[in-house]
Amino acid sequence: MNHRQTFAALFVGLVLVFGLRADNAEQSPKQGAALLKTDIMGVFAHPDDETGASATLAAYALGKGKVVANVYCTRGEGGGNSVGKQWGDSLGILREAELRDSLALIGVRYCYFLDRQDFFYTESVAATLTKWNKEVTLERLVRLVRALRPEVIITMNPAPTPGQHGHHQAAGVLATEAFSAAADPSRFPEQITKEGLSVWQPRKLYYGGGGHGADAIISVAEVLPNGKTPAETAGEAAANHRSQAFGNFSRSGRPPRPQTFTLVKSVVPFIDSEDDLFRGLPVSGETPRLATSPRDNHQQTPVEIEFTLRPAVAAYLQWAKAQGIEHVVEKLAADLPVVAGEENDIEFEVRNKRSTAAEGTIQLQAPAGWRVTPTSVGYNIGSLSARTLHCRVVPPKSLEPDADLVAASQLGDSDVSGSVRLHIVPRMNVTAVESAPSLDGSGAGWENIPDVYISPSNLVSGKVQDAADSSARFRLAHDSQTLFISVDVADDVVVSNIAPDDIRGHWRSDSVEICIDPNPGSENTLGCFKVGIFPFDSTGVVRAARDADANQGPIEETAPAMRVFSRRTPGGYLIQAAIPFAEIGVQPKQTKRLGFNILIYDGDKADAVLGENINKSRIAWAPRSGVQGRPEDWGRIDLQ
């Protein structure tokens, strides 16, 4: 047999062994656009954000053979690290490795990054999209949508609810806009003319979570081919995110609960509830027409009363209207902070949508213990116009539950009303002193300065057993140069698990965070002074670092004139600090009021290893979920 015959025989053998058939296109490997065709695309902000939907992704990828691709805005380089000292870009490398191990377990085939900066915790989507250069980021995401052609996109809810990370909101905003932009040939046209892509209209867009009247409830209890449920598989996958303290997720032992999503945009008609993200699919064509949202069928009143909300909420509502997704914001509890015990100006607008003038009286009502003036306001508004009105509200001096301010009017046979949720932020005076009080724990100079109690019930997150577990009393004073702070923390298990060369991420351990806003009520923390103080590092030395403001890092580098002191007490520890006004960026003679908050972080894990994230609870003078990233909800201090 010559060499040609030998080669031919070998080729025939390979065909028989591996089943290669040149005339069977169905068994040929996918290539090009066919290789990239995706069923579900998840759009998230950071590695580990997929954990809220990973059971659903596993159910579809492993249970139904769907192709899933996840897109992440960042590599998580701005987060904490519970397993090492990698920070910044080095942490991003670690978190990507953890992520890919996690995604492999739930069957996610593709993983892409938009390479935006994970800069720090903020609740501001505006600050996030500015730093990320929104248009550039959106272009990158649209390219992925057009290349992968997903049927379904799932993402994070962009609503600015308390505790919702601004990066998470931004991921939702970008995914929502990309859903429509990918189908618009006028958006990023060079992707079509120079990159060989085509427009693509995804079929459905979902936000994680439900409660908006167009919910998808996905079971994650069926057994997969791996012998485990999607919920169990997701738990094992999440445990790979060890740097983010997810290591014990696989041992939660909780029964699997269905995962819920809100249908936001769709090419198939909306229904009240569904049990399959692919209900009504597939549909043919690259750009099928979008279905009418549930909101479009709601009856509109001829006159509307709407309160002026905090900037982030007002911007979100305007954006949702422009996106045609008003049905997902109907249950948003829009709120306003009001300062305890003083007059707060509240603005509201009356809009007349009729072709004739509207005249009437608006009655204003606040709960018992609150005072509103005036209690009624008359209006006379021309056709198709609006008028802005004001009232003044004085809430109680103490922190009370949130309350609704209601404005109501009757126009003919129609009842017209609007309301806003008000929540109280505390206020206090800062004592002026002629000489600086001591920063040595002796108490000298602090005797006549009143203290303020932070109760265990002032909960930001987690659980507190009692006052001995976590509570605090603090004092404030100032002179012409410096703000003085003394915080006496009750903590029955004081933990010192932070190494001297690891002074960052104060939320990982027992610590005190001081938040100062030179412009009270700021929308983000970029102009603020935020510092976390570890009472003791692993060698017993007090250390501090600025965090989540425009100048982060150890105070030796970022606030060198700041001084700190700490000592153990019978029931916890004492921290004292002197912060020059120059470090804060204010001149006390020109500044009479500052935004201010103190947060107490408690861990209680006595055997914590170095660097481990042990955060169990957070309490604050001005408590609210996510308040550390939202200066609007900090308290107010007045310099006497």
Side-chain angles (χ1 to χ4, degrees):
M1 183 181 293
N2 60 34
H3 69 278
R4 290 184 178 179
Q5 292 173 317
T6 302
F7 176 80
L10 177 62
F11 180 77
V12 171
L14 288 172
V15 170
L16 292 175
V17 172
F18 294 103
L20 300 176
R21 293 186 57 187
D23 61 345
N24 190 344
E26 291 183 355
Q27 296 188 16
S28 298
K30 293 180 179 179
Q31 60 186 11
L35 177 65
L36 295 176
K37 182 67 178 82
T38 297
D39 296 304
I40 299 176
M41 173 184 283
V43 180
F44 307 103
H46 318 99
D48 79 30
D49 285 344
E50 80 289 341
T51 55
S54 56
T56 294
L57 297 181
Y60 281 101
L62 302 178
K64 301 180 185 297
K66 299 293 187 181
V67 176
V68 180
N70 280 2
V71 179
Y72 297 85
C73 298
T74 77
R75 296 175 191 269
E77 66 274 15
N81 186 353
S82 293
V83 296
K85 295 181 180 178
Q86 297 91 347
W87 290 91
D89 291 343
S90 297
L91 176 60
I93 294 172
L94 172 62
R95 293 190 68 179
E96 180 180 345
E98 293 177 335
L99 173 65
R100 292 188 184 278
D101 284 346
S102 179
L103 297 184
L105 289 181
I106 61 174
V108 174
R109 180 168 182 176
Y110 297 119
C111 174
Y112 299 95
F113 295 91
L114 301 181
D115 290 322
R116 301 293 85 183
Q117 181 187 8
D118 179 18
F119 48 94
F120 53 70
Y121 182 84
T122 178
E123 296 230 341
S124 172
V125 68
T128 300
L129 292 174
T130 297
K131 289 183 72 70
W132 284 1
N133 192 331
K134 178 186 175 183
E135 195 69 4
V136 171
T137 308
L138 181 60
E139 179 182 16
R140 294 180 181 184
L141 181 56
V142 168
R143 177 181 289 110
L144 287 169
V145 174
R146 287 171 172 170
L148 299 174
R149 293 172 294 142
E151 298 292 303
V152 171
I153 294 178
I154 63 173
T155 190
M156 315 187 82
N157 194 325
T161 53
Q164 178 71 309
H165 199 314
H167 298 182
H168 296 172
Q169 296 174 48
V173 166
L174 291 164
T176 303
E177 295 193 19
F179 182 90
S180 300
D184 184 350
S186 69
R187 299 302 307 274
F188 315 115
E190 289 190 352
Q191 294 180 0
I192 299 169
T193 60
K194 295 185 178 181
E195 298 182 22
L197 297 176
S198 300
V199 295
W200 176 254
Q201 176 60 74
R203 286 23 179 164
K204 288 183 171 183
L205 171 70
Y206 290 93
Y207 292 162
H212 299 282
D215 297 341
I217 302 174
I218 308 302
S219 173
V220 292
E222 295 82 2
V223 177
L224 299 172
N226 64 8
K228 301 171 184 177
T229 67
E232 293 169 334
T233 302
E236 291 185 3
N240 283 286
H241 294 293
R242 292 180 177 84
S243 70
Q244 305 308 298
F246 282 27
N248 293 324
F249 263 46
S250 61
R251 295 188 290 273
S252 66
R254 292 176 296 180
R257 296 180 178 179
Q259 293 196 314
T260 306
F261 301 84
T262 295
L263 182 59
V264 180
K265 293 188 176 185
S266 177
V267 301
V268 300
F270 285 77
I271 61 175
D272 287 342
S273 63
E274 54 188 7
D275 59 6
D276 183 4
L277 300 182
F278 290 83
R279 176 191 61 85
L281 302 181
V283 297
S284 60
E286 292 182 343
T287 55
R289 187 187 182 103
L290 291 180
T292 301
S293 74
R295 175 63 183 256
D296 293 335
N297 297 322
H298 289 190
Q299 186 176 3
Q300 302 295 316
T301 57
V303 175
E304 293 181 343
I305 302 173
E306 188 170 286
F307 285 89
T308 300
L309 305 171
R310 65 170 79 214
V313 176
Y316 169 72
L317 295 176
Q318 185 177 15
W319 172 83
K321 183 177 182 180
Q323 294 296 316
I325 59 170
E326 293 173 280
H327 63 284
V328 304
V329 307
E330 287 182 336
K331 296 185 179 181
L332 175 67
D335 63 331
L336 275 178
V338 288
V339 181
E342 69 179 31
E343 282 193 346
N344 295 262
D345 183 72
I346 307 295
E347 182 181 89
F348 57 98
E349 186 178 72
V350 183
R351 290 192 291 268
N352 180 16
K353 296 185 174 182
R354 307 189 317 171
S355 58
T356 59
E359 182 177 1
T361 301
I362 294 176
Q363 302 295 330
L364 294 156
Q365 184 176 5
W370 296 60
R371 187 169 77 251
V372 56
T373 54
T375 57
S376 63
V377 181
Y379 65 90
N380 190 329
I381 305 174
S383 64
L384 303 176
S385 59
R387 183 180 175 188
T388 299
L389 303 173
H390 294 259
C391 67
R392 296 177 301 280
V393 172
V394 180
K397 293 182 178 180
S398 59
L399 294 185
E400 302 285 347
D402 292 356
D404 289 329
L405 174 65
V406 178
S409 180
Q410 188 166 15
L411 188 67
D413 296 332
S414 300
D415 292 326
V416 181
S417 66
S419 66
V420 64
R421 180 71 48 84
L422 303 178
H423 71 271
I424 303 173
V425 298
R427 179 183 68 87
M428 66 175 290
N429 295 327
V430 181
T431 304
V433 295
E434 293 184 0
S435 58
S438 64
L439 259 70
D440 58 9
S442 66
W446 293 100
E447 302 93 334
N448 298 320
I449 299 172
D451 66 359
V452 177
Y453 184 51
I454 301 178
S455 165
S457 62
N458 283 26
L459 200 62
V460 174
S461 64
K463 295 181 179 180
V464 177
Q465 183 175 349
D466 52 30
D469 180 21
S470 182
S471 61
R473 292 188 177 275
F474 73 92
R475 291 178 167 88
L476 299 180
H478 79 96
D479 60 15
S480 60
Q481 302 294 327
T482 304
L483 179 67
F484 303 101
I485 305 167
S486 182
V487 189
D488 191 354
V489 178
D491 185 352
D492 51 7
V493 182
V494 179
V495 183
S496 304
N497 63 315
I498 303 300
D501 60 348
D502 189 24
I503 305 304
R504 53 172 71 85
H506 60 273
W507 60 86
R508 294 176 293 158
S509 185
D510 292 340
S511 65
V512 172
E513 182 178 27
I514 298 170
C515 308
I516 305 172
D517 182 6
N519 299 293
S522 295
E523 194 269 340
N524 62 70
T525 61
L526 288 172
C528 298
F529 183 99
K530 292 181 77 257
V531 62
I533 304 174
F534 298 105
F536 317 101
D537 65 15
S538 59
T539 67
V541 177
V542 61
R543 298 295 300 279
R546 291 179 65 172
D547 174 76
D549 59 20
N551 190 18
Q552 302 176 80
I555 61 170
E556 293 84 357
E557 303 169 6
T558 60
M562 178 179 172
R563 293 177 292 137
V564 292
F565 167 85
S566 75
R567 68 171 173 83
R568 288 293 302 262
T569 64
Y573 59 90
L574 174 73
I575 278 181
Q576 294 179 326
I579 308 175
F581 286 112
E583 297 282 18
I584 302 171
V586 299
Q587 298 181 18
K589 292 184 179 180
Q590 300 176 5
T591 302
K592 297 303 180 184
R593 171 165 285 191
L594 297 169
F596 184 83
N597 208 1
I598 287 182
L599 286 84
I600 310 299
Y601 294 74
D602 185 32
D604 283 358
K605 187 175 182 182
D607 59 348
V609 300
L610 283 178
E612 182 181 357
N613 187 343
I614 60 168
N615 183 239
K616 175 181 70 72
S617 67
R618 305 175 188 186
I619 59 175
W621 179 48
R624 203 163 180 82
S625 178
V627 71
Q628 68 272 19
R630 196 172 55 257
E632 292 165 304
D633 289 339
W634 298 353
R636 308 293 192 263
I637 58 174
D638 294 322
L639 305 180
Q640 299 300 294

